[in-house]
Amino acid sequence: MNFLQNTHFGTSLLLCLVAFSYWSFVILPSNSPSFLMDEICDNALDDDEDGLIDLNDPDCECEVIEPVSLIPNPSFEEMDCCPEDRSQLDCATGGVQASDPTTDYLHTCGWMGWDDFPPPQPFPDGQGVMGFRDGRVRNGLDPEPGWKEYAGACLAQPMLAGVTYRFEFHVGFVSFASSPPIFITFFGTDDCDNIPFGQGDEFFGCPTNGPGWQELGNVLVSGGPGNKWVQTFIEVTPETDIAAIAIGPSCTLSNNPSSTYYFFDNLVLADEESFDYEISEITHPCDEDFLIEVPPNDEFEYQWYLDGVALIGETESAISQMYGEGAYQVQIMDSEGNCRVTQIYNRDIPFTTTYIAETICNEDAYVFGQDQISASGVYVDTFKTVDNCDSIVTLDLEVLGFFNDTLSARIFEGEQFDVGPNSYDQEGVYTANLVSSLGCDSLILLDLSFYNVYVPNVFSPNFDGINDYFEILGQDADILEAKLSVYDRWGAHLFTGNKWDGNYRGDPVNPGVYVYVFQVTMSDGKQRQFSGSVT
């Protein structure tokens, strides 16, 4: 009895424990196993199932290594207004026109630059850039080599004497003709009151032409034949504290035969150590073998990420391959287990856009890539530049048909009328085959006749209604204007007007021979002169 009772009690207890365990398992939130597992930050998995992976998860926060530029608003993204025209750098917050010749502010919200100087796109950082000149040619005729445009800034903190700084920036090029290689030059001053400089003098030139400025460094930059951005840098160790800077062309006068233009973006000025862990490009961004890297260090461990998600196997200082467009970062772990992560490198494959308007003859064809086009229309195709970048070209083609026209003209006997290379001096109907400046054939039907104009050699101003006036005679539609001058045989001027009644100062002149000159403007707009004598 006791054995059975004990057995029954034990069975009941076991059943209760099983039931308790069962219900305890069911009651646990099945969609919240984060209580059971932490996020692993380098396996490209959402380990804690909170919808966030690797660096995107707050559990994987790491100190970002990012140079903080001493130049305010270094990428021209902060705005006080949207630029609507040239010379509006003041629309960029803190933007300073350092020189009297004004730089330009371009932004995708509004003004995007001069038609002759299209900026390369996309912009390196954001939606705003600055444009500047190194000399210009006014109206295509008058060179102005002293016209130099600079951007300037009062620094957030002074550059300290004896400290090495790195000034890193992007330069934009239009083309080799419009943006030849240029020495980008970095200037500094110990007083923010020295900007702007050269006020009131458009040809003041570089900052060191005035007091208080010094050249800190320069670098030769070339964009080659393409419309593109080039990233470069200048390293300087100032001998005195620098409170304000200016950036632009060198002091050497430009000898370019045409106007030149360039762009700036992403002006990062910081102490050299801030750049130690910056992602840099190994080759051109459009190269098939394009790669990126950070400076190697044998004491560090590396992990690459794309859009915050770990790239499995990418654990070297240089990435082994690219994984498409997006935001790349590297997590760096030192020997003491301290975690740091680089700032984002945005991989955007560059491309250019070009608009071409062409006119051809009806029997010709325009070669567009692999196609030969002979019909009017708008065509779009993608080509490769010398740097292997995509170039999207829009062709607006007009095909001229065979031109056929009728032309009526009048001349005086002894004159000739020209139609292209052909000349005609007799009345008649002619056909002329012409070739236009484009090389297109055309047919002109010419109806040529003489003006019917007559100048009499005698008149009788006796007011009998017959030949009372001396005047040029012809169809009114042919003669637009006639001016008559009359002289006696000794050259004394007697009359000026349309027609002469034989009087001089109200009295009839003596019968005789007088000299006349007619200035006549005919219906073709040309002026002729007739002279002779009248009795």
Side-chain angles (χ1 to χ4, degrees):
M1 183 71 173
N2 291 336
F3 173 77
L4 291 174
Q5 288 176 341
N6 291 338
T7 302
H8 177 73
F9 173 77
T11 303
S12 299
L13 178 60
L14 179 60
L15 290 172
C16 287
L17 288 173
V18 171
F20 177 77
S21 298
Y22 173 78
W23 288 110
S24 296
F25 175 77
V26 172
I27 290 171
L28 282 174
S30 60
N31 63 343
S32 300
S34 58
F35 297 106
L36 305 177
M37 183 176 293
D38 293 329
E39 179 74 12
I40 300 173
C41 300
D42 59 0
N43 64 355
L45 298 174
D46 183 11
D47 303 292
D48 57 9
E49 297 188 9
D50 62 353
L52 303 173
I53 302 175
D54 295 345
L55 295 185
N56 299 307
D57 195 313
D59 296 338
C60 298
E61 285 185 346
C62 195
E63 178 188 357
V64 177
I65 311 166
E66 182 176 10
V68 178
S69 182
L70 298 177
I71 300 174
N73 197 15
S75 291
F76 312 101
E77 295 307 300
E78 299 176 25
M79 301 167 54
D80 296 327
C81 56
C82 183
E84 298 178 353
D85 204 345
R86 62 184 179 87
S87 305
Q88 293 187 349
L89 187 61
D90 55 340
C91 277
T93 303
V96 177
Q97 295 285 11
S99 53
D100 203 74
T102 53
T103 54
D104 302 318
Y105 182 41
L106 288 70
H107 199 282
T108 55
C109 70
W111 193 70
M112 282 293 287
W114 302 86
D115 292 339
D116 295 339
F117 305 118
Q121 297 186 57
F123 296 159
D125 187 28
Q127 297 175 300
V129 298
M130 189 207 82
F132 68 99
R133 295 177 184 268
D134 180 16
R136 70 175 184 180
V137 177
R138 188 188 293 269
N139 301 322
L141 299 174
D142 302 322
E144 296 178 347
W147 184 280
K148 292 178 177 288
E149 300 175 354
Y150 295 86
C154 186
L155 301 178
Q157 295 179 356
M159 298 170 64
L160 302 179
V163 176
T164 300
Y165 292 85
R166 181 182 176 103
F167 180 35
E168 194 170 273
F169 52 94
H170 283 81
V171 184
F173 294 81
V174 179
S175 64
F176 190 81
S178 298
S179 309
I182 180 174
F183 273 101
I184 298 297
T185 309
F186 188 33
F187 301 90
T189 179
D190 61 1
D191 192 342
C192 287
D193 289 340
N194 288 335
I195 54 172
F197 54 83
Q199 288 182 286
D201 184 358
E202 292 183 340
F203 303 102
F204 182 84
C206 73
T208 54
N209 288 336
W213 285 92
Q214 57 181 294
E215 181 177 326
L216 299 177
N218 63 70
V219 62
L220 178 63
V221 193
S222 174
N227 178 255
K228 67 179 181 180
W229 290 93
V230 175
Q231 186 178 29
T232 188
F233 66 91
I234 301 172
E235 287 188 350
V236 299
T237 306
E239 297 179 356
T240 60
D241 291 353
I242 300 297
I245 58 96
I247 181 74
S250 69
C251 296
T252 304
L253 293 180
S254 169
N255 60 358
N256 294 305
S258 59
S259 293
T260 60
Y261 203 83
Y262 306 86
F263 306 91
F264 277 142
D265 194 17
N266 201 19
L267 309 176
V268 180
L269 173 63
D271 61 272
E272 189 178 34
E273 294 181 356
S274 300
F275 292 90
D276 285 347
Y277 303 102
E278 187 176 64
I279 296 176
S280 60
E281 301 168 350
I282 297 179
T283 56
H284 190 278
C286 291
D287 286 349
E288 293 181 357
D289 300 326
F290 173 72
L291 296 174
I292 52 180
E293 65 178 355
V294 291
N297 189 319
D298 293 338
E299 298 182 0
F300 293 165
E301 296 179 1
Y302 302 92
Q303 175 60 58
W304 286 84
Y305 294 81
L306 175 59
D307 296 330
V309 179
L311 297 170
I312 303 303
E314 295 290 356
T315 56
E316 301 294 333
S317 60
I319 200 167
S320 66
Q321 68 178 76
M322 299 303 294
Y323 295 82
E325 295 185 325
Y328 287 80
Q329 286 178 284
V330 184
Q331 186 185 71
I332 301 172
M333 195 78 68
D334 63 20
S335 57
E336 298 178 358
N338 297 315
C339 164
R340 284 173 290 181
V341 65
T342 64
Q343 61 180 317
I344 290 175
Y345 173 88
N346 285 306
R347 167 62 166 158
D348 295 316
I349 301 176
F351 69 92
T352 60
T353 58
T354 305
Y355 175 82
I356 300 174
E358 288 287 348
T359 303
I360 62 174
C361 303
N362 65 321
E363 296 180 352
D364 294 338
Y366 188 87
V367 178
F368 192 53
Q370 301 298 319
D371 300 322
Q372 292 191 349
I373 303 173
S374 56
S376 296
V378 177
Y379 304 86
V380 180
D381 204 347
T382 301
F383 304 92
K384 289 293 184 181
T385 67
V386 293
D387 294 315
N388 200 45
C389 296
D390 284 341
S391 176
I392 302 172
V393 180
T394 300
L395 170 66
D396 187 352
L397 184 66
E398 180 183 4
V399 179
L400 297 179
F402 182 79
F403 182 73
N404 192 343
D405 197 8
T406 299
L407 178 63
S408 295
R410 307 194 76 180
I411 60 173
F412 285 97
E413 287 191 68
E415 294 181 338
Q416 65 180 24
F417 188 82
D418 297 330
V419 180
N422 307 311
S423 297
Y424 305 91
D425 59 6
Q426 297 297 319
E427 291 183 312
V429 177
Y430 304 91
T431 57
N433 293 306
L434 302 181
V435 178
S436 72
S437 59
L438 294 174
C440 303
D441 293 330
S442 61
L443 179 66
I444 302 295
L445 183 65
L446 172 64
D447 183 0
L448 185 64
S449 60
F450 290 141
Y451 282 117
N452 185 17
V453 172
Y454 171 67
V455 179
N457 59 7
V458 63
F459 79 114
S460 56
N462 55 7
F463 301 103
D464 62 355
I466 302 173
N467 297 329
D468 289 329
Y469 294 94
F470 175 58
E471 59 184 325
I472 192 167
L473 304 175
Q475 297 182 7
D476 292 340
D478 290 338
I479 303 174
L480 299 182
E481 183 180 5
K483 181 182 178 182
L484 170 64
S485 297
V486 180
Y487 307 85
D488 64 20
R489 59 180 177 173
W490 296 280
H493 178 258
L494 304 179
F495 173 79
T496 295
N498 296 324
K499 56 184 180 180
W500 186 36
D501 62 1
N503 288 324
Y504 174 63
R505 294 183 177 179
D507 296 322
V509 298
N510 294 324
V513 178
Y514 294 84
V515 177
Y516 68 85
V517 176
F518 270 111
Q519 296 283 353
V520 181
T521 302
M522 304 303 295
S523 58
D524 60 3
K526 295 180 180 180
Q527 188 178 80
R528 277 90 165 176
Q529 179 173 291
F530 301 94
S531 59
S533 61
V534 61
T535 301

